[in-house]
Each structure stands twice: as C-alpha cells, then as structure tokens.
Amino acid sequence: MPWALSVPLLPEESLSSWLVRAALRQGCDPLSLTGAIWPTWRIWIRDIDREIPLVRMRPLVNASGISYADFQKAGMRDDCEKVAGYSLPETRTWPWLLALGSRNRTRYGGQQVCTLCLAEDSTPYLRRHWRFAWHIGCRFHGVQLVDECPACKAPIEPHRLTAEDQHLAQCSRCHNDFRKAVCTSPLPEAFSVQVMADRVLEQDKVTFRQASIAPADWFSMVAFFIGVIRRASRRPVSPLADALLSLGISVTDCRMPVSGLAFELLAVSERSALLVALERLLSMGLEETFSVLVACNVKTSALHDPRRSPPVVLLPLLSRLSHHPHGPHRRRVPPACRPMSERAVRASWARLKRRMKAEPTS
C-alpha cells in the first residue's frame, strides 16, 4: 500500500538518508518503517548505502512510488565498482568507500557531513559523495567534513533517530544540532587530491605518462602510494623514510594514523594527513619520486607486500629499484615477557578509542 505522504529522493541523496527522512515524514522511527517494509530483513545491520538488492526492492517501490532505476542510481555500487575495477562482494570493506564498522545497529564511523550544507537545506539530508574515503571537505563550501558529533564525539548514526527528532541534522545520542557546529577549513593539499579524484571518477579514461588508463588503475596507483607512506611511518628510521623526507614528506607527523586500520576506517583528520603526503608525491612527479627512491637505495620489498602484486601501471618504474629476495614468510613469536613497543601500544589505544566512541557513556 502506498504511503500517505510521499518522500522524493533529493539530488545526490544517499539511500540511508532517504530511508531515515521517509520514516520521520511518516511519523515513525527508521527501524519501525523498515520493519513494516521488510518484516524478516534486518536492514540496519548492513551498509544500505551500497545498494538495495533487487530481490528486496518490490515492497519499497510499491510503498514509495519511486522506480527501481532511481533506487539503483542512488546506490554506491556502480561508482565503487568503477573505482575498484571489479565486481564487489556484498560483504567486506569496499575500496575507497568509508566503512561503517557495524555491530548490529551500532556504528563506529562511516558517515560524514558538511554542516553548512545541512544548514542551507530546507530538508536536511546526506549526500552520496560524503561516503567516499577521499572526501575530506565540502566541494561547495570549502569546509572540512565532520565525522562525529562536535558535542559528545559519538559517530553520526541517523538511523538511530526517533520519530520525535523530526530531522536528521542532529546527533542520535545527545541531540546536538550539527548545523550549529563551528566549521574549520580542510588542508588545501588534501582538498586538491579530493578534487583530482572526483575528476577521475567522472571520466572513462585518465592520462598517465602519455598513455590512457582506466580510473580503477589510477585509484589503484594512489592506494599504492598511500600504502607506501604508511609503511614508511611504521619505520621512521629507514631508507624509505629518508627518501620521503628528502621529498618533503615527514612520516613522523603527529597527524599520521597510528591505529593500523584500513584507509576506509580512518577519521577525516587522519585521512587528510595521508592525502597531504600523497599530494606532495603526485606534485613532485613519479619520475623524480622514483629517482629519489633509487638514490636512497630503497628496495621494492620496502614499498609493498611481496605477496601482493603492485599496480600494473607502476611496474616499469618499480623495475628500476633493486629487489631483496624474501624466503618463506614466517610470523615472529615474541618472547612472553617482552613488553609491547610504544607504537604497538599507541595503535591498540587508537583502536580502543574508536570502539569506545560507539558505546554511550553511563
């Protein structure tokens, strides 16, 4: 049966945002609305922004009056598969899509917003492009995106709002209005990488070293260099760290992530720090970058895990580096009484703080 109050999809709106708005428009909680549409499907324990499976679509189309095609267009799968270059599974983290870190309906992160966009909206809603991991600033207002409640530091979880909340521009835990938050400017170097990545996503081919490559190859190359930066930060006293320092990249920057989490799980501030270093590498040019790596005697094994193939577009450049052969990989067993390193403790503490954000304080 169609809803009494229609709720159209807004421009560039994410699926989860629309479902929350539809529920509040009908005067009920998001959990109640989705329970009425799909009585046996627990929709909020998954990342519904990715897509609504076709087998689940019919009751939603009948109730909302919105077509299958519009719901498919609002999903993230097409763009994410263009970025990844292959068909993505329903589960696991998708490359370059912020991971929610779901445990039942509890989230550890994954949503970020521009508070000025929400303030200007007649009906506040979440944009699809805010879910991309390379997005750290608003493309319209030039302010840094917010990925937690400015007041209580809880993750942004609009699906946990109730009917009384009326709009989704607020924290589901403390009900602080995001539209009143003080805005900060994004790091300009990180923002330039965001603009570059957006342009690549819009194209079918990208020019790289006087050749045309697919967007997926470009994103694979960028992910490789982010991995190189993070490997250097784990070993600040190494030829690789020295090479990056000579290029103007300090891997001991306090903003660098220490948790060891995947890029898609990092906070906006940590992703920004990595994108700043990435922008420096890209602006220097790959020829100069690899010349410095060769001069510093950096081995190929220092740049990536030898068990994984590097991006094909970088193979000619990687062939310039010397290769250090590895034997069978063996996991080191630390002595029982040996204390953890400072870095290991800091990484564990960073991961623990991320989990604690999802749990309300008593």
Side-chain angles (χ1 to χ4, degrees), residues 44-321:
W44 297 115
I45 66 172
R46 59 180 288 151
D47 188 350
I48 199 60
D49 284 340
R50 294 180 174 187
E51 66 175 347
I52 298 176
L54 286 175
V55 295
R56 305 282 188 179
M57 197 82 79
R58 181 180 293 275
L60 185 61
V61 170
N62 293 340
S64 66
I66 298 175
S67 68
Y68 287 85
D70 287 341
F71 280 126
Q72 285 185 300
K73 185 178 179 181
M76 304 292 294
R77 176 174 285 278
D78 289 345
D79 284 340
C80 287
E81 290 189 344
K82 183 177 181 179
V83 166
Y86 56 87
S87 179
L88 295 167
E90 286 192 16
T91 57
R92 300 181 184 177
T93 301
W94 284 9
W96 297 103
L97 180 70
L98 291 178
L100 298 175
S102 301
R103 182 179 181 185
N104 293 324
R105 289 199 306 134
T106 301
R107 305 283 166 78
Y108 297 144
Q111 293 283 5
Q112 51 185 7
V113 302
C114 169
T115 56
L116 294 184
C117 283
L118 296 180
E120 291 181 355
D121 293 336
S122 56
T123 301
Y125 68 100
L126 308 182
R127 277 66 166 173
R128 293 173 66 255
H129 57 261
W130 290 344
R131 288 296 310 277
F132 288 127
W134 68 81
H135 270 251
I136 50 86
C138 175
R139 58 171 66 158
F140 301 108
H141 298 103
V143 298
Q144 182 166 297
L145 299 180
V146 174
D147 61 355
E148 63 182 10
C149 173
C152 71
K153 307 304 180 184
I156 297 175
E157 301 176 294
H159 67 288
R160 301 185 75 176
L161 293 170
T162 62
E164 292 77 15
D165 293 323
Q166 298 183 350
H167 65 84
L168 53 69
Q170 61 182 300
C171 176
S172 61
R173 187 177 300 174
C174 72
H175 301 287
N176 174 63
D177 194 326
F178 297 148
R179 296 171 294 186
K180 299 178 181 178
V182 177
C183 299
T184 59
S185 299
L187 298 173
E189 300 88 350
F191 193 72
S192 69
V193 174
Q194 173 184 315
V195 173
M196 191 186 311
D198 284 341
R199 289 174 181 169
V200 170
L201 180 61
E202 294 172 356
Q203 300 172 10
D204 294 325
K205 290 292 181 181
V206 183
T207 301
F208 175 73
R209 302 186 74 203
Q210 300 179 345
S212 293
I213 62 174
D217 293 327
W218 187 89
F219 279 101
S220 175
M221 176 189 66
V222 167
F224 176 85
F225 284 124
I226 289 177
V228 168
I229 296 165
R230 300 190 71 176
R231 288 172 74 89
S233 70
R234 291 196 294 270
R235 291 176 174 266
V237 182
S238 64
L240 177 57
D242 293 340
L244 294 184
L245 185 60
S246 67
L247 291 170
I249 300 171
S250 174
V251 296
T252 58
D253 190 325
C254 62
R255 297 173 299 183
M256 286 287 184
V258 298
S259 62
L261 295 170
F263 186 76
E264 295 81 7
L265 293 168
L266 297 177
V268 63
S269 58
E270 295 175 317
R271 285 182 280 117
S272 294
L274 289 171
L275 293 181
V276 168
L278 173 64
E279 192 276 338
R280 179 64 179 171
L281 278 181
L282 297 178
S283 64
M284 292 293 292
L286 298 187
E287 295 290 341
E288 182 173 349
T289 297
F290 274 85
S291 295
V292 172
L293 294 176
V294 171
C296 292
N297 196 28
V298 176
K299 305 291 192 296
T300 55
S301 57
L303 300 182
H304 68 99
D305 188 339
R307 295 168 294 177
R308 296 184 179 181
S309 300
V312 175
V313 295
L314 294 179
L315 290 179
L317 294 169
L318 289 170
S319 65
R320 301 180 186 179
L321 305 179

Side-chain angles (χ1 to χ4, degrees), residues 18-63:
W18 178 82
L19 281 169
V20 172
R21 285 199 310 109
L24 299 181
R25 177 67 171 156
Q26 310 308 318
C28 64
D29 305 340
L31 186 63
S32 300
L33 180 80
T34 54
I37 299 172
W38 301 289
T40 61
W41 188 36
R42 300 177 65 194
I43 187 175
W44 297 115
I45 66 172
R46 59 180 288 151
D47 188 350
I48 199 60
D49 284 340
R50 294 180 174 187
E51 66 175 347
I52 298 176
L54 286 175
V55 295
R56 305 282 188 179
M57 197 82 79
R58 181 180 293 275
L60 185 61
V61 170
N62 293 340

